[in-house]
Amino acid sequence: VDSPGSCTCTDQEQSRDRSLVLIAGLIHDVTTFIHEHPGGSALVSTRVGRDVTADFFGGVYEHSNAAHNVSPP
């Protein structure tokens, strides 16, 4: 990704097979994590392709420090 909010065609093509979310301005690939999410896969899968910053930082659940440490880069 060149800058926040922009991406190239190649980026879009590569992301078609991945589940991506935006947290605090960073794009996270949660493809392999969806089925491991302690709150259930539906919480993550219904938010793919969206900015989930508010959800991650307390909108749905106050994530622990451990959750912040294991969130995918």
Side-chain angles (χ1 to χ4, degrees):
V1 176
D2 299 324
S3 64
S6 72
C7 61
T8 65
C9 290
T10 303
D11 294 329
Q12 291 173 358
E13 291 167 3
Q14 291 176 353
S15 69
R16 285 189 184 138
D17 296 327
R18 299 184 309 181
S19 298
L20 306 175
V21 296
L22 183 69
I23 301 173
L26 298 173
I27 298 171
H28 296 267
D29 184 345
V30 295
T31 306
T32 59
F33 179 70
I34 288 177
H35 300 291
E36 298 173 15
H37 188 267
S41 61
L43 279 175
V44 179
S45 62
T46 58
R47 289 163 175 81
V48 167
R50 299 181 181 188
D51 183 344
V52 297
T53 303
D55 296 332
F56 190 79
F57 290 105
V60 171
Y61 176 78
E62 185 84 26
H63 285 87
S64 67
N65 285 338
H68 290 266
N69 291 337
V70 298
S71 62

